[in-house]
Amino acid sequence: LIPFLLIPNANAATQVDPAATGMVISNGKILVFGNHEKNGFVQIVGANPIELTGPAESFLGAGTVDESGNFLIYGSGAVNNTVAQQITSAPLNPDNVQIAPETTFRSDATQIWRWKISTAGEILESKSVEVGQVIWVKAANNNLIGGSLATNNGNAGFYLNWDGINNQITKLGNKFTEVNAILNNNYLAGSSAETLSGKKLVGLRDGFVYKISKPLLVRSSNSGAVRRWLSGTSTLFLGGSVQVGKTTQAVITKFTNTFTPTWTTRYPAIGGAQVLEMNKNYVAAFPVKGNKISIYTFSSKGKLLAKNSIPGNSISSIGYSEETGLNILSGGSVFTIATR
C-alpha cells in the first residue's frame, strides 16, 4: 500500500478573497495573501481579510513560516516617512556586470517589508529595509528571500538573507533575470535570458538553479525555447514550464545536490507546474486546457502513482500539511485534495 495517494473526485473548496495570490500553511491554519488597490492583505481561511498598511503602499509577493510556526509575509513598499533599516554596503555582484547608476522616485516600491503574523491572525511585527531600487519579492524561505530588482537595463534577480551578518542584497544578472523560488537556505531557482556565472544563454530564455554557499549554477535549456523554473522543494524537486512557439508544456525534474537530473517529465499544459513534497512522494499541479488543473503524484524515483484534477485555469499556490492535507489556491478558492 502506497501512503498518501490522491483520491479522485473527493475534493472540497473554500472561498477566500478573490485577490489572493499566495498561500502558507502552519499548525493546521491556512493563510492566503494578495493585493488590493493600495495595500496587501492577509486572510486566515474562515476569517475576514486584514489589510497590511505599513508603508504608503504595499505589494505582497511571498510567504513562509518561522521556527515558532508564525507566518512571515514578504512584500515591497513605497517610500514614506517610516524609518527603515538601511543597507549601507554596496550590493554584491557575482556576475561582474556593468551596472549603470539608477534613478528612483518616491512613488517607487524601494523597500522590502516583512510582517510576522500568528496563526490566530494577529500581526506580531512589521519590519522594513530600504534598498534604493524598485524591488519585487517573489519567494521566501524563513529569512532568505528572492525576486527581481529593477535596473536601468531591465531586471536583475536578487537574494537577501535578511538577518545575515552582512545584510547585503546579491544580484544575479542585470537585464533579464528573475528568482522565482527559494528551495532551502542554500539553493534558489528562476529564469534568465542573459549570461549568468559565465554560463551563456542557450534558448530564448533558460531556467536556472543556483547554489549560494559555494556558487554553482546550471541552466535548463532548449534551443528556441522559453524556460522557467517556478517552484521547488528543499530536495531539489522543481516545477516549471517550457514554451516553443505556441506550444507550452509543464516540466517536472528531480535534481541531485550537484544539479544532475535524476528524472524528468513533461506534460501538455497552459501554464507551468507547481510542486511540493507530500510524505515520501512528490506532487505536481499544472493547468491544462478545458478549465482543469491536473494533479499528479510521483514516487521519489519518478513513477506516476496517481492522478486527480480540480476546476481552474491557473494555480496561485500549492501547499501540504498533515492537518490540512493537500491544498491548492486557484481563482479565489482553496481546494482541499483528499488523500489516503
Side-chain angles (χ1 to χ4, degrees):
L1 177 65
I2 302 174
F4 294 100
L5 293 185
L6 304 181
I7 303 173
N9 304 318
N11 310 318
T14 302
Q15 298 298 308
V16 293
D17 191 302
T21 57
M23 178 178 65
V24 193
I25 303 171
S26 178
N27 295 327
K29 297 290 186 178
I30 301 174
L31 179 143
V32 299
F33 59 88
N35 299 294
H36 292 149
E37 183 178 357
K38 293 293 184 180
N39 287 298
F41 70 90
V42 296
Q43 180 183 11
I44 302 289
V45 172
N48 294 324
I50 301 170
E51 296 281 330
L52 300 180
T53 57
E57 294 185 3
S58 63
F59 311 94
L60 307 185
T64 185
V65 176
D66 69 10
E67 295 88 346
S68 300
N70 298 306
F71 298 109
L72 297 179
I73 307 301
Y74 290 90
S76 55
V79 175
N80 63 6
N81 293 324
T82 301
V83 177
Q85 177 187 352
Q86 180 72 40
I87 293 181
T88 56
S89 302
L92 299 178
N93 190 9
D95 296 310
N96 295 315
V97 294
Q98 297 298 313
I99 301 176
E102 295 155 6
T103 302
T104 59
F105 300 94
R106 184 178 178 85
S107 60
D108 286 335
T110 60
Q111 295 178 350
I112 297 173
W113 276 75
R114 181 180 72 193
W115 288 265
K116 181 185 292 187
I117 301 168
S118 73
T119 54
E122 179 185 2
I123 299 176
L124 303 175
E125 177 188 68
S126 61
K127 184 178 181 182
S128 66
V129 57
E130 172 65 43
V131 297
Q133 297 163 276
V134 180
I135 196 162
W136 299 270
V137 180
K138 297 181 178 181
N141 187 316
N142 203 346
N143 294 322
L144 184 62
I145 60 175
S148 297
L149 188 71
T151 71
N152 277 357
N153 298 315
N155 293 324
F158 84 90
Y159 63 90
L160 166 66
N161 193 330
W162 192 295
D163 295 329
I165 296 175
N166 296 318
N167 202 20
Q168 293 178 312
I169 281 181
T170 302
K171 291 184 180 180
L172 296 173
N174 186 45
K175 293 183 178 180
F176 310 113
T177 300
E178 60 185 2
V179 173
N180 295 325
I182 303 294
L183 309 180
N184 53 39
N185 63 2
N186 197 29
Y187 294 89
L188 52 84
S191 74
S192 180
E194 59 184 315
T195 298
L196 289 180
S197 299
K199 304 293 181 64
K200 293 184 178 180
L201 179 68
V202 175
L204 299 178
R205 189 177 190 93
D206 300 339
F208 72 84
V209 190
Y210 183 77
K211 183 178 181 179
I212 297 172
S213 61
K214 187 177 181 181
L216 174 66
L217 182 141
V218 63
R219 303 186 79 113
S220 302
S221 314
N222 295 101
S223 178
V226 174
R227 291 200 59 174
R228 284 181 167 90
W229 290 124
L230 301 173
S231 69
T233 73
S234 61
T235 58
L236 306 190
F237 176 59
L238 269 66
S241 64
V242 57
Q243 181 177 357
V244 179
K246 296 182 179 180
T247 300
T248 300
Q249 293 177 306
V251 183
I252 305 155
T253 303
K254 177 67 176 70
F255 289 92
T256 67
N257 287 341
T258 57
F259 297 157
T260 301
T262 57
W263 58 270
T264 186
T265 186
R266 300 182 181 190
Y267 297 96
I270 61 172
Q274 298 279 342
V275 300
L276 55 70
E277 292 184 45
M278 188 173 70
N279 196 16
K280 296 181 179 181
N281 298 325
Y282 295 114
V283 175
F286 48 91
V288 298
K289 291 180 179 179
N291 191 42
K292 186 172 72 171
I293 294 171
S294 293
I295 308 162
Y296 289 2
T297 303
F298 300 88
S299 72
S300 60
K301 298 184 181 298
K303 180 182 178 181
L304 181 60
L305 301 177
K307 296 181 181 181
N308 203 341
S309 67
I310 57 174
N313 54 27
S314 65
I315 302 172
S316 297
S317 187
I318 184 172
Y320 170 79
S321 74
E322 291 185 0
E323 299 92 343
T324 67
L326 176 63
N327 303 108
I328 293 177
L329 173 63
S330 175
S333 294
V334 174
F335 290 86
T336 299
I337 317 301
T339 60
R340 62 174 172 84

